[in-house]
Amino acid sequence: EVQLVESGGGLVKPGGSLRLSCATSGFTFSSQSMNWVRQAPGRGLEWVSSISSRSSYRHYADSVKGRFTISRDNAENSLYLQMNSLRAEDTAVYYCASTLPGGASFDYWGQGTLVTVSS
Amino acid sequence: SYVLTQPPSVSVAPGQTARITCGGNNIGTKSVHWYQQKPGQAPVVVVYDDSGRPSGIPERFSGSNSGNTATLTISRVEAGDEADYYCQMWDNSSDQVVFGGGTKLTVL
């Protein structure tokens, strides 16, 4: 069974930092691209970042470029998102999602972790 | 940056057909994916690559993509189909993923 479990969310002050993790199992993590998608309360889905299977390519939304860093550890089957200089508008549920080899859709999703940026 | 436009809401009676559109400049030349999200749950892909259907997704869900509009069609709509639906694609020109704003499907 495919499982993606996010952790690391919480309450942080504006300007602060947080590191999200996504632990995976049930599929060949090292062969799949991985993604972060967020959803602000009552709002739609917003793509945050993607990383290729061997970390050769990393892409970011304009809204987080220069502040967030995506990374992965294929030995640990884990995905990460380092978030710095957090702003109130970064408040959202953050989902990790996988992309099957050769595909482009987000095929499996975790249940999300809530990040709240507030003073 | 590329913009995907969806109607905020679509309403349909049970047993009827729902069509949810996703507009974008020459979207027919791109691969579009559709997600269903029910309240409090993570999204689920219901159509990939314009018209592919993942295993476990009912045949009632289908997709098409041509010109400036991609369409998710749900036939014989059931109460359990009530959810938010999002289209998504990869924008080659900016190397970014784009989501539509989402459409709330209401089953009357």
Side-chain angles (χ1 to χ4, degrees):
Chain A
E1 180 192 6
V2 172
Q3 286 195 324
L4 295 86
V5 180
E6 302 92 338
S7 61
L11 176 63
V12 61
K13 290 181 168 53
S17 297
L18 215 52
R19 188 193 196 210
L20 305 184
S21 300
C22 173
T24 74
S25 61
F27 65 99
T28 308
F29 179 80
S30 60
S31 66
Q32 296 194 16
S33 295
M34 295 296 296
N35 315 275
W36 288 100
V37 177
R38 69 184 181 184
Q39 187 169 35
R43 306 295 295 273
L45 301 175
E46 180 188 13
W47 170 74
V48 173
S49 183
S50 297
I51 186 168
S52 59
S53 60
R54 298 183 180 184
S55 304
S56 303
Y57 301 101
R58 308 179 197 219
H59 302 289
Y60 298 93
D62 290 342
S63 58
V64 307
K65 201 172 294 183
R67 300 188 299 123
F68 291 10
T69 302
I70 191 171
S71 63
R72 63 189 297 161
D73 185 335
N74 286 348
E76 295 292 329
N77 296 328
S78 293
L79 175 72
Y80 305 101
L81 186 68
Q82 177 67 43
M83 304 186 296
N84 298 330
S85 303
L86 283 162
R87 307 166 180 168
E89 53 265 36
D90 296 318
T91 294
V93 172
Y94 285 73
Y95 297 100
C96 65
S98 64
T99 297
L100 289 171
S105 59
F106 297 172
D107 305 291
Y108 297 102
W109 297 65
Q111 284 305 303
T113 186
L114 176 62
V115 172
T116 303
V117 184
S118 175
S119 55
Chain B
S1 59
Y2 198 89
V3 175
L4 294 176
T5 301
Q6 297 182 238
S9 63
V10 168
S11 298
V12 63
Q16 299 304 302
T17 298
R19 293 180 179 84
I20 299 173
T21 59
C22 177
N25 186 34
N26 288 324
I27 195 174
T29 63
K30 307 179 189 301
S31 286
V32 175
H33 321 291
W34 290 91
Y35 302 88
Q36 176 194 70
Q37 186 182 33
K38 296 182 179 179
Q41 297 184 19
V44 172
V45 59
V46 293
V47 167
Y48 66 92
D49 292 347
D50 296 338
S51 59
R53 191 170 49 250
S55 60
I57 300 301
E59 292 184 6
R60 302 184 297 104
F61 288 81
S62 63
S64 62
N65 187 13
S66 179
N68 293 318
T69 305
T71 303
L72 172 68
T73 301
I74 309 172
S75 305
R76 302 180 300 282
V77 166
E78 303 173 356
D81 298 331
E82 193 162 277
D84 294 324
Y85 290 85
Y86 297 89
C87 57
Q88 175 251 313
M89 52 152 281
W90 172 260
D91 179 20
N92 288 332
S93 62
S94 64
D95 278 342
Q96 297 191 343
V97 171
V98 182
F99 279 100
T103 298
K104 181 176 180 57
L105 176 66
T106 299
V107 181
L108 302 171

